[in-house]
Amino acid sequence: MNIKYLIIPDIHGRTFWRKPMEKFYDKVEHIIFLGDYFDPYPSEKITESDAIDNWHNIMSFIADNELWGRTTMLIGNHDAHYVSSIFAKFGGSSRKSKEYVDVIKILLTECPILQISYKVRVGNKKILFTHAGVTEDWYTRHKELIGVLCASNLNQLTESEEGWRALAEIGLSRMGDNLTGSPLWSDAGEHVIFSWATESQGGYDFQMFGHTLFDHPIIEKSFAMLDCKQCFVMTTDEAKLLAIKNL
């Protein structure tokens, strides 16, 4: 099995990342976290302090094993409302910590591998990673701002107020004002209903994201939604086809 990438969906203070990281960190080309590191669910009995300790453990593992150049941590909506006051105003998420807001902001802004999007090639497939996925509807609304749809242009949205406003947009399925949400807010159902052709995706064949919690992954022809409290490895077989294996 040709293991290429380790994918770690929404954390929210959970520790399911540790055993897969320990097993695969020296076997994969890159490790990709899909965002949402803080703001635990009260029903899971994880405290805000636990989530901060968990973040420190992730950072320590990356540092101790010299993984900075082989790890990407994407920004989720539960991270953006600490990083950007504009996002917090127009697209802030629930469960934002009041007690630790300043601490979490510092932790996130000091992280050198935090970004909006990441791209990879596996076999003959070009794959785009974001926290919640890019819909054609959202991209069309902001095409003039973004330019060609690519990871680097999406990452540049954090450099302007207009960019953060675009990232703060929430879709109707999550009680927002837009048809679909941003790559930090789009619901998995929006990708099912408002699917879009490959040629509309700026050259990307496939998208991977988290954000919409299910008890299993949702894998369709053009995307995979992986927020299910488990890690994944992405591999290529002899025919150079994409394979996603749940750990």
Side-chain angles (χ1 to χ4, degrees):
M1 181 172 65
N2 184 13
I3 300 172
K4 299 284 284 188
Y5 300 98
L6 174 63
I7 306 166
I8 303 175
D10 307 37
I11 294 288
H12 291 299
R14 306 177 187 113
T15 60
F16 64 83
W17 60 273
R18 179 173 287 280
K19 288 184 178 179
M21 281 275 280
E22 292 173 346
K23 181 177 181 179
F24 290 103
Y25 79 90
D26 58 348
K27 300 178 177 66
V28 298
E29 290 185 7
H30 208 82
I31 300 163
I32 306 163
F33 287 80
L34 298 183
D36 279 6
Y37 310 98
F38 302 98
D39 301 351
Y41 290 88
S43 61
E44 296 183 9
K45 308 302 181 184
I46 300 171
T47 68
E48 294 174 346
S49 180
D50 291 336
I52 291 173
D53 289 342
N54 193 49
W55 171 270
H56 286 302
N57 290 337
I58 294 171
M59 293 294 102
S60 294
F61 190 95
I62 293 171
D64 291 346
N65 293 284
E66 301 181 344
L67 297 174
W68 294 113
R70 293 198 292 120
T71 304
T72 294
M73 305 191 78
L74 299 183
I75 300 173
N77 56 305
H78 284 275
D79 313 309
H81 62 189
Y82 294 105
V83 173
S84 168
S85 60
I86 297 168
F87 186 95
K89 179 178 179 181
F90 295 101
S93 311
S94 61
R95 307 198 311 276
K96 182 178 180 181
S97 174
K98 295 180 180 179
E99 182 176 358
Y100 296 104
V101 58
D102 294 330
V103 172
I104 295 173
K105 179 177 181 178
I106 291 172
L107 293 176
L108 288 168
T109 54
E110 289 184 346
C111 178
I113 54 175
L114 198 69
Q115 58 195 62
I116 295 293
S117 183
Y118 185 71
K119 64 179 180 180
V120 305
R121 179 186 286 272
V122 177
N124 62 352
K125 290 184 180 293
K126 291 178 286 185
I127 302 167
L128 181 68
F129 289 84
T130 58
H131 174 64
V134 181
T135 66
E136 184 178 34
D137 168 68
W138 178 83
Y139 173 60
T140 300
R141 289 201 303 273
H142 302 290
K143 187 173 183 178
E144 185 174 343
L145 171 65
I146 298 168
V148 174
L149 178 58
C150 62
S152 59
N153 285 349
L154 290 173
N155 288 331
Q156 289 177 4
L157 291 176
T158 62
E159 298 175 5
S160 68
E161 179 176 345
E162 187 179 9
W164 275 117
R165 284 287 300 270
L167 290 169
E169 290 183 351
I170 305 173
L172 292 175
S173 62
R174 295 207 176 211
M175 308 304 291
D177 298 326
N178 302 280
L179 186 61
T180 64
S182 78
L184 302 189
W185 262 117
S186 183
D187 190 86
E190 296 171 5
H191 293 275
V192 174
I193 298 171
F194 304 104
S195 59
W196 46 327
T198 300
E199 57 266 23
S200 299
Q201 297 184 358
Y204 292 100
D205 304 296
F206 202 78
Q207 294 193 62
M208 290 192 186
F209 48 86
H211 181 61
T212 307
L213 182 62
F214 273 76
D215 59 2
H216 58 84
I218 298 174
I219 302 177
E220 301 286 344
K221 182 179 180 180
S222 61
F223 73 86
M225 195 295 297
L226 304 178
D227 183 12
C228 60
K229 305 181 187 179
Q230 292 187 347
C231 298
F232 295 80
V233 288
M234 187 161 58
T235 71
T236 56
D237 63 16
E238 292 180 358
K240 302 295 184 182
L241 296 176
L242 175 67
I244 307 169
K245 297 186 180 295
N246 196 192
L247 300 177

